[in-house]
Amino acid sequence: MTTIENSLSIFALGGVNEIGKNMYVLEVENDIVVIDCGSKFPDESLLGIDLIIQDISYLKENQEKIRGLVVTHGHEDHIGGIPYLLKQLNMPVYATRLTMGLIEIKLKEHRILRETEIHLIDSKSVLTFNSMKCTFFKTNHSIPDCLGIAFETPEGIIVHTGDFKFDLTPVNDEYADIHQMAEIGKNGVLVLLSESTNAERPGSTPSESLVGGHIEDAFRKANRKVFISTFASNVHRVQQVVDAAQKTNRKLALLGRSMVNVVSVAMEQGYLNVPEGMLIEAHEIGGMDPERVAILCTGSQGEPMAALSRLSSSNYRHASILPEDTVIFASSPIPGNERNVSKVIDNLYLLGAKVIYGSGSATGMHVSGHAQQEELKLMLTLMKPKYFIPIHGEYRMLHQHRQLAESVGIERENIFIINNGDVVDVNNSLARQTRKIPSGNIFVDGLGIGDVGNMVLRDRKLLSEDGMIVIVITLSKSDGEIITGPDTISRGFVYARDSEELMNEINQLVITTVNTTRSSSGNQRSVLKQSVKATLGKFLYTKTKKRPMILPIIIEV
Amino acid sequence: MTTIENSLSIFALGGVNEIGKNMYVLEVENDIVVIDCGSKFPDESLLGIDLIIQDISYLKENQEKIRGLVVTHGHEDHIGGIPYLLKQLNMPVYATRLTMGLIEIKLKEHRILRETEIHLIDSKSVLTFNSMKCTFFKTNHSIPDCLGIAFETPEGIIVHTGDFKFDLTPVNDEYADIHQMAEIGKNGVLVLLSESTNAERPGSTPSESLVGGHIEDAFRKANRKVFISTFASNVHRVQQVVDAAQKTNRKLALLGRSMVNVVSVAMEQGYLNVPEGMLIEAHEIGGMDPERVAILCTGSQGEPMAALSRLSSSNYRHASILPEDTVIFASSPIPGNERNVSKVIDNLYLLGAKVIYGSGSATGMHVSGHAQQEELKLMLTLMKPKYFIPIHGEYRMLHQHRQLAESVGIERENIFIINNGDVVDVNNSLARQTRKIPSGNIFVDGLGIGDVGNMVLRDRKLLSEDGMIVIVITLSKSDGEIITGPDTISRGFVYARDSEELMNEINQLVITTVNTTRSSSGNQRSVLKQSVKATLGKFLYTKTKKRPMILPIIIEV
């Protein structure tokens, strides 16, 4: 666990062994640069939790070294944690225009836009943070304006790919800087950090531009309204929807808050070309010839509150899906969302719509934004890294990425599969996993950050499955006799009005237990409570096979 | 909504517009026959619910007409509800040997085996229920001993396929009765009810026998222990695992309760040929040469308590997965289980295992047991039904199945996509959807059946997300002054010890509210409670963006 002389340190505070909350840190001499600050959505076991962010205690302790946050692109798992980070640790933020536009929406919502120091960059920018020089290269991904980063350090070059794919026929001629990547890698980089999302998938991802033709065909075939749903941030996909609408002579309406937000940012900044007069408002849809309208909406993942889900249950104010309308899912369900997506599809069919869905590539309406195996090998080959750290993926993806790296000639002992918080120290001839710094999941729960711990989550879990019973009883301080009660309140256990008999049995049992305990162990409230809890818990489990939380409240007056 | 003269009635009490809890009913003159009685697993929104079964109030009301329950095969979605049905409505049960063996396990658990009237049948059986004659045909599926049913009625033949695929090279020579199906359909059947699970998938399912070769290859390549996980009830898959173990000279251990149960039933009844001395006990694994052992286990869906999940987290008593062991998923994740499966795979890689996984057909380790589009069309063609009711599937699957039926020449107006409870009346020249009978989801919650309603579920949901706060306050009966309290108990909201300040604010607010309310509206407890709830709810939402359940308890002494 000794450190390495003249070394720099690399670690993740989020993003390895998980999908989400990406945050990577590079520490060279007295300078720390933070790369990305994403959030992660909780799975269903984290009851009531809104968002997961990083443990940044290391950054707080080394505040004086921090030179800034460099953001690779504008997806939630790379920017969603920024407001929470900046509220605790103000630092300059470096991002490209579109990325910054999306960050600014968040900073506004959190009312910290004004005090944030913002630096727009592009792929030609050069940043210098004392010991590090920072250059960039353009990549392709499912959102425009993505960057990979090359850090020139005294020990060598450290490359962070961000999210990427290789799209040789990109939409809007947004080519990746392959020559620049080759230039960076020509003499070999010291450490490559490369994303692993699709490391399990053989071959290469199809080009985004293939999707456009399929959308246009579907628009042409549809003889009534067409609804199409995709991620708002996939601006190139949106561009292709706009193009298809134009070619098939349809006006376009945008439904869903994030769709409206992102499209307006992207249009303002020139990432999206929308012909004059093409966009219509939602309330205008009803008055138009159905054959002349297309509707681009949120909800491709079946999110219950998003536009498409509400449309599918005829619960959207300004628009409705009618028989023979066409609905296109330009997306693939993210693991965990399959059931929600299926529900929406069922409802759409019930409305009489024609639905185009299925795992994206099957319909031609979706391609992935993440490099598959052949592309990952191309990146590894271009960069020729001495050391390799697969990032951005669950363990099996990192593991597969390691195998790909070995297949292109990187030595196994030079590949580091790390956990969040594992520090890799590197100098020009040596790399070693050394110390471990604090890392983990911080829960955002309403306005509370990090204040919900295991106790509270455990209680939520118990309450969610078996509910609870509150038993109130008043005892006389002088002689310990029961004055009022027991009164029993049940919530989430059984419906008290339907279970009068059970409630009576509970009350009887509580009286007996209190009296017995008093005569054997005295009047101590904690003893009485414990005894009521234990006796009642056992009784209820035998009677119902449920274990409600039992809260005995004993008042002495 | 008038009924049809001389008609018979067909309806589902479960199984349409859903996957699970299959139950179809045929009512001819004064005779009712029930087909299958499955259960359904609740999705994560049904907090605390163990199982979903059918609303059988119609059957209870027509008890005297019921002639029996005929079971097509032994999967949970066809037999899981039987104990609950029989406890309320005893009736004779007809099933093949393996199916009955699996039913008996359930009846024993529920202690109703002795009072149940059991009739073993096979594909040659002929049953007569007054107005109906019942014959059978063998089908292929992912469990042996599956039947389709042909009911000869005064109006014509009604066919129920059960679950099926067409496997022309089945394991153990368990051929489907295609000739029998052709014979039944020769003169056309009146109504066909056919399963729709894979109606979205083009082509045909591969044969189960293809899986065997892949398993054997993997067993041969493995130079240490091999773990393989599949559904226990897939006896033909299990047979192929046994065969592969034998060919590669490995002993076989069975891990997981359902694997041990089902294999022993299947062996007893001759559905499974296991060579003498091949099976070993779990505790013997450790003492064996790793190259000479295979382990067949439950947990292919990532179920947290199943053998494979526990093995993957090194939490299984008698066996452990070591580096270089091989683990095979002979399965595809069922929608909704992807995350659990992924977690298990990650853990297996962390243990250093070689893992063979992926959507089943990609690895060759799994094939579906349900007919795909070409097979569904073959069934429709064999049966030549006048009327068609697609069953066993969510709406989009029924919808696709209707399209397939139309493509082979069935008139659209003769196809009925029904909901559970919709009754289709049919005679030899007419079919019409007429009345609606009670149907729906009955929740099994611990020992309670149907006693958990929306109120309780809503409370569980609230409690699961935002927890609760109990506030106890004692007032003087004489002058309404506060005697004790307020005392605040928080569960699942915030951890009270970490939030002393908030707790103090809450108590202060409660005192103020009680005093203000008393002076303005008097001492009525319900008014005081309402006022505390409203004021505190508002305060807490502003302060925390959470809405805990608030239970004010006001005691007067």
Side-chain angles (χ1 to χ4, degrees):
Chain A
M1 296 291 270
T2 50
T3 52
I4 296 178
E5 227 177 320
N6 288 331
S7 71
L8 55 88
S9 298
I10 300 171
F11 53 89
L13 288 176
V16 289
N17 294 316
E18 65 182 340
I19 295 279
K21 79 178 212 319
N22 286 284
M23 181 186 264
Y24 306 93
V25 180
L26 183 57
E27 182 168 356
V28 184
E29 293 173 12
N30 282 313
D31 306 305
I32 285 177
V33 173
V34 182
I35 304 156
D36 291 341
C37 179
S39 57
K40 180 176 172 177
F41 293 107
D43 67 31
E44 58 271 15
S45 72
L46 295 172
L47 296 166
I49 300 300
D50 300 310
L51 219 54
I52 304 171
I53 55 176
Q54 304 83 0
D55 179 341
I56 55 165
S57 40
Y58 182 87
L59 296 180
K60 281 184 186 163
E61 277 162 29
N62 294 277
Q63 199 159 351
E64 73 293 345
K65 293 187 186 174
I66 299 177
R67 304 295 159 242
L69 167 68
V70 185
V71 183
T72 60
H73 65 285
H75 278 152
E76 286 301 313
D77 54 338
H78 295 258
I79 68 169
I82 292 179
Y84 304 97
L85 173 72
L86 294 184
K87 277 185 208 168
Q88 297 175 77
L89 265 181
N90 206 351
M91 64 181 79
V93 180
Y94 299 84
T96 54
R97 267 193 311 138
L98 179 65
T99 307
M100 196 63 90
L102 296 170
I103 294 172
E104 283 173 358
I105 293 174
K106 289 182 186 298
L107 298 182
K108 256 183 229 160
E109 281 173 6
H110 286 260
R111 296 162 198 268
I112 53 168
L113 178 56
R114 249 195 297 166
E115 56 263 46
T116 303
E117 184 188 330
I118 276 171
H119 298 274
L120 280 183
I121 55 173
D122 61 29
S123 63
K124 304 286 172 224
S125 298
V126 179
L127 306 177
T128 308
F129 304 115
N130 302 330
S131 55
M132 289 179 254
K133 203 173 94 181
C134 205
T135 63
F136 302 91
F137 51 93
K138 277 178 78 164
T139 58
N140 301 120
H141 186 42
S142 47
I143 186 170
D145 234 10
C146 286
L147 295 179
I149 315 173
F151 296 92
E152 291 174 32
T153 78
E155 303 300 322
I157 298 174
I158 316 294
V159 170
H160 184 292
T161 62
D163 286 2
F164 73 97
K165 65 188 276 188
F166 285 101
D167 191 337
L168 304 179
T169 53
V171 173
N172 285 353
D173 290 340
E174 291 287 345
Y175 290 94
D177 282 338
I178 299 189
H179 297 93
Q180 170 76 357
M181 297 181 212
E183 187 65 29
I184 293 168
K186 201 170 54 182
N187 300 311
V189 309
L190 185 63
V191 185
L192 173 67
L193 294 90
S194 180
E195 74 124 324
S196 313
T197 317
N198 270 348
E200 299 174 290
R201 295 202 201 163
S204 298
T205 55
S207 169
E208 175 65 34
S209 60
L210 286 181
V211 175
H214 290 109
I215 295 176
E216 192 186 323
D217 285 350
F219 275 34
R220 218 174 278 288
K221 274 190 202 143
N223 47 18
R224 298 192 58 86
K225 298 201 293 296
V226 188
F227 293 78
I228 181 165
S229 181
T230 192
F231 281 122
S233 61
N234 196 336
V235 175
H236 291 143
R237 185 78 45 85
V238 173
Q239 181 69 62
Q240 298 192 95
V241 172
V242 170
D243 296 347
Q246 190 184 17
K247 286 185 190 159
T248 59
N249 195 19
R250 291 174 185 263
K251 300 281 185 190
L252 188 66
L254 306 173
L255 303 188
R257 194 170 64 107
S258 71
M259 190 59 78
V260 173
N261 275 345
V262 176
V263 167
S264 71
V265 169
M267 282 174 69
E268 253 170 59
Q269 304 189 343
Y271 290 95
L272 198 55
N273 306 314
V274 182
E276 269 304 303
M278 156 162 278
L279 291 183
I280 58 170
E281 296 292 323
H283 64 84
E284 297 176 80
I285 297 171
M288 305 267 308
D289 175 359
E291 222 175 322
R292 300 275 72 87
V293 189
I295 295 106
L296 176 59
C297 57
T298 54
S300 63
Q301 293 298 318
E303 307 92 324
M305 295 310 297
L308 187 57
S309 304
R310 286 162 56 205
L311 284 162
S312 77
S313 49
S314 302
N315 179 27
Y316 200 86
R317 198 168 159 213
H318 284 307
S320 48
I321 295 175
L322 299 176
E324 302 301 307
D325 283 349
T326 300
V327 182
I328 303 170
F329 285 80
S331 57
S332 270
I334 292 172
N337 294 343
E338 292 84 356
R339 281 189 193 167
N340 281 343
V341 172
S342 295
K343 263 181 224 165
V344 174
I345 296 169
D346 281 339
N347 287 338
L348 291 169
Y349 271 129
L350 278 167
L351 292 174
K354 297 171 184 171
V355 191
I356 301 174
Y357 68 98
S359 65
S361 53
T363 62
M365 297 295 181
H366 178 70
V367 297
S368 172
H370 296 278
Q372 295 180 191
Q373 292 179 348
E374 291 309 310
E375 297 160 275
L376 294 172
K377 280 154 65 181
L378 177 56
M379 180 62 85
L380 285 156
T381 302
L382 283 167
M383 292 298 169
K384 293 192 294 181
K386 180 159 183 188
Y387 302 107
F388 173 52
I389 305 177
I391 57 169
H392 201 289
E394 295 177 355
Y395 184 79
R396 63 195 183 282
M397 304 163 189
L398 307 180
H399 182 274
Q400 297 271 7
H401 205 172
R402 172 169 67 190
Q403 290 187 324
L404 296 173
E406 284 185 64
S407 77
V408 298
I410 299 172
E411 304 285 338
R412 185 166 190 136
E413 62 267 29
N414 289 347
I415 304 171
F416 294 85
I417 295 192
I418 55 173
N419 282 311
N420 293 321
D422 287 344
V423 178
V424 178
D425 286 335
V426 197
N427 68 17
N428 58 19
S429 60
L430 201 61
R432 199 158 47 201
Q433 198 178 309
T434 55
R435 65 213 149 105
K436 194 158 178 69
I437 60 164
S439 71
N441 288 328
I442 304 294
F443 300 136
V444 178
D445 182 56
L447 295 182
I449 297 176
D451 60 346
V452 164
N454 288 336
M455 278 291 270
V456 171
L457 284 175
R458 208 199 51 189
D459 284 348
R460 285 184 189 168
K461 172 118 179 101
L462 285 177
L463 290 167
S464 77
E465 290 179 354
D466 296 346
M468 60 153 179
I469 282 190
V470 181
I471 292 144
V472 188
I473 193 162
T474 320
L475 303 180
S476 156
K477 233 179 222 163
S478 54
D479 61 3
E481 289 295 325
I482 296 173
I483 300 176
T484 70
D487 291 309
T488 302
I489 303 165
S490 151
R491 289 286 185 278
F493 168 50
V494 291
Y495 189 49
R497 274 189 221 169
D498 298 343
S499 315
E500 227 172 292
E501 197 189 327
L502 182 64
M503 292 299 137
N504 287 337
E505 286 177 313
I506 291 173
N507 288 344
Q508 276 313 313
L509 186 64
V510 171
I511 293 172
T512 318
T513 308
V514 167
N515 289 334
T516 320
T517 312
R518 273 173 55 211
S519 58
S520 68
S521 325
N523 252 342
Q524 239 190 307
R525 275 205 292 181
S526 61
V527 177
L528 288 177
K529 277 186 190 177
Q530 202 41 55
S531 168
V532 166
K533 254 181 152 164
T535 315
L536 194 53
K538 215 162 143 187
F539 167 75
L540 289 175
Y541 187 71
T542 311
K543 187 93 184 174
T544 68
K545 282 272 180 301
K546 306 289 286 182
R547 298 186 193 281
M549 184 184 282
I550 297 169
L551 286 183
I553 294 174
I554 297 174
I555 296 155
E556 289 171 314
V557 289
Chain B
M1 296 290 270
T2 50
T3 53
I4 296 180
E5 225 177 320
N6 287 331
S7 71
L8 55 88
S9 298
I10 300 171
F11 53 90
L13 288 175
V16 289
N17 293 314
E18 66 183 339
I19 296 278
K21 78 180 213 320
N22 286 284
M23 181 187 264
Y24 306 93
V25 179
L26 183 57
E27 183 169 355
V28 183
E29 294 173 12
N30 281 313
D31 307 305
I32 286 178
V33 173
V34 182
I35 304 155
D36 290 343
C37 178
S39 57
K40 181 177 173 176
F41 293 107
D43 67 31
E44 58 271 17
S45 71
L46 294 173
L47 296 165
I49 301 299
D50 300 309
L51 218 55
I52 304 172
I53 55 176
Q54 304 84 0
D55 179 340
I56 56 166
S57 40
Y58 182 88
L59 296 181
K60 279 185 188 163
E61 279 162 26
N62 293 277
Q63 198 160 349
E64 73 292 347
K65 292 188 185 173
I66 300 176
R67 303 298 159 240
L69 167 69
V70 185
V71 184
T72 60
H73 64 286
H75 278 152
E76 286 301 313
D77 54 338
H78 295 259
I79 69 169
I82 292 180
Y84 304 97
L85 173 71
L86 294 185
K87 278 185 207 166
Q88 297 175 75
L89 265 181
N90 205 352
M91 62 181 80
V93 181
Y94 299 85
T96 54
R97 265 193 313 140
L98 179 65
T99 308
M100 197 62 91
L102 296 170
I103 294 172
E104 283 174 357
I105 292 174
K106 289 182 186 298
L107 298 182
K108 255 183 227 160
E109 280 173 7
H110 286 260
R111 295 164 199 267
I112 52 167
L113 178 55
R114 248 196 297 169
E115 56 262 47
T116 304
E117 184 187 331
I118 276 170
H119 298 273
L120 281 184
I121 55 173
D122 62 29
S123 62
K124 305 285 171 224
S125 298
V126 178
L127 306 177
T128 308
F129 303 116
N130 302 330
S131 55
M132 291 178 253
K133 202 172 96 183
C134 206
T135 63
F136 301 92
F137 52 92
K138 277 178 80 163
T139 58
N140 300 120
H141 186 42
S142 48
I143 185 171
D145 232 11
C146 285
L147 295 179
I149 315 174
F151 296 90
E152 292 174 31
T153 78
E155 303 300 322
I157 297 174
I158 315 295
V159 170
H160 184 293
T161 62
D163 287 1
F164 73 97
K165 66 187 276 190
F166 285 102
D167 191 337
L168 305 179
T169 52
V171 173
N172 284 356
D173 290 340
E174 291 286 343
Y175 290 95
D177 283 337
I178 299 190
H179 297 93
Q180 170 77 355
M181 296 180 212
E183 186 65 30
I184 293 168
K186 200 169 56 181
N187 301 309
V189 309
L190 184 64
V191 186
L192 173 68
L193 293 92
S194 180
E195 73 123 325
S196 312
T197 317
N198 271 348
E200 299 175 291
R201 297 203 200 161
S204 297
T205 55
S207 170
E208 175 65 34
S209 60
L210 287 181
V211 175
H214 291 109
I215 295 176
E216 191 186 323
D217 285 351
F219 275 34
R220 220 175 277 287
K221 274 190 202 141
N223 48 17
R224 297 192 59 85
K225 296 200 293 295
V226 188
F227 294 78
I228 181 165
S229 180
T230 194
F231 281 123
S233 62
N234 197 334
V235 175
H236 293 143
R237 186 78 44 86
V238 172
Q239 181 69 61
Q240 297 192 94
V241 172
V242 170
D243 295 348
Q246 189 183 18
K247 285 185 191 159
T248 60
N249 196 19
R250 290 175 186 264
K251 299 281 184 187
L252 188 66
L254 306 174
L255 303 187
R257 194 169 65 107
S258 70
M259 190 60 78
V260 173
N261 275 346
V262 177
V263 167
S264 72
V265 169
M267 281 174 68
E268 253 170 59
Q269 304 190 342
Y271 291 95
L272 196 56
N273 306 315
V274 183
E276 269 304 305
M278 157 163 278
L279 292 183
I280 57 170
E281 296 293 324
H283 64 83
E284 296 176 80
I285 298 171
M288 306 264 310
D289 175 358
E291 221 175 321
R292 299 277 72 87
V293 189
I295 296 108
L296 175 59
C297 56
T298 56
S300 62
Q301 294 297 319
E303 307 92 323
M305 296 308 296
L308 188 58
S309 304
R310 287 160 58 202
L311 283 161
S312 78
S313 49
S314 302
N315 179 26
Y316 200 87
R317 198 167 160 214
H318 283 309
S320 47
I321 295 176
L322 299 176
E324 302 301 307
D325 282 349
T326 300
V327 182
I328 303 169
F329 285 79
S331 57
S332 270
I334 292 172
N337 294 344
E338 292 83 355
R339 282 190 192 165
N340 281 344
V341 172
S342 296
K343 262 182 223 164
V344 173
I345 296 169
D346 281 340
N347 287 339
L348 292 169
Y349 271 129
L350 279 168
L351 292 174
K354 298 172 183 168
V355 191
I356 300 175
Y357 67 99
S359 65
S361 54
T363 61
M365 296 295 180
H366 178 70
V367 297
S368 172
H370 295 277
Q372 294 180 195
Q373 293 179 347
E374 292 309 310
E375 296 159 275
L376 294 172
K377 281 154 66 181
L378 177 56
M379 180 62 84
L380 285 156
T381 301
L382 282 168
M383 292 298 169
K384 294 193 292 181
K386 179 159 186 190
Y387 302 107
F388 173 52
I389 305 177
I391 56 169
H392 202 289
E394 295 176 356
Y395 185 78
R396 63 194 184 284
M397 303 163 189
L398 306 180
H399 182 276
Q400 296 271 7
H401 204 173
R402 173 168 67 189
Q403 291 187 324
L404 296 173
E406 284 184 67
S407 77
V408 298
I410 298 173
E411 304 285 338
R412 186 165 187 136
E413 63 266 29
N414 288 348
I415 303 172
F416 295 85
I417 295 193
I418 55 173
N419 282 311
N420 292 321
D422 287 344
V423 178
V424 178
D425 286 335
V426 197
N427 68 18
N428 57 21
S429 60
L430 201 63
R432 198 156 50 201
Q433 200 177 307
T434 55
R435 64 213 149 104
K436 195 157 176 70
I437 59 164
S439 71
N441 288 328
I442 303 294
F443 300 136
V444 178
D445 182 56
L447 294 183
I449 297 177
D451 59 346
V452 165
N454 288 335
M455 278 291 269
V456 170
L457 284 175
R458 209 199 52 190
D459 284 348
R460 285 185 190 168
K461 172 120 179 100
L462 286 176
L463 290 167
S464 77
E465 289 178 355
D466 295 347
M468 60 151 179
I469 281 191
V470 181
I471 292 145
V472 189
I473 193 161
T474 320
L475 302 181
S476 156
K477 235 180 220 162
S478 53
D479 60 4
E481 290 294 325
I482 297 173
I483 300 176
T484 71
D487 292 308
T488 303
I489 303 165
S490 150
R491 289 285 186 281
F493 169 50
V494 292
Y495 190 48
R497 273 187 222 170
D498 297 344
S499 315
E500 228 173 292
E501 197 189 328
L502 182 63
M503 293 298 137
N504 287 337
E505 287 178 312
I506 291 173
N507 288 343
Q508 276 312 314
L509 186 64
V510 171
I511 293 172
T512 318
T513 309
V514 167
N515 288 334
T516 320
T517 311
R518 272 175 53 210
S519 56
S520 67
S521 322
N523 251 343
Q524 240 191 306
R525 274 205 292 181
S526 61
V527 178
L528 289 176
K529 277 186 189 176
Q530 202 41 53
S531 169
V532 166
K533 253 179 152 165
T535 315
L536 193 54
K538 216 162 142 186
F539 167 75
L540 289 175
Y541 187 71
T542 313
K543 187 92 186 174
T544 66
K545 283 271 180 302
K546 306 288 287 184
R547 299 187 192 280
M549 183 183 284
I550 297 169
L551 286 182
I553 293 173
I554 297 174
I555 296 156
E556 290 172 314
V557 288

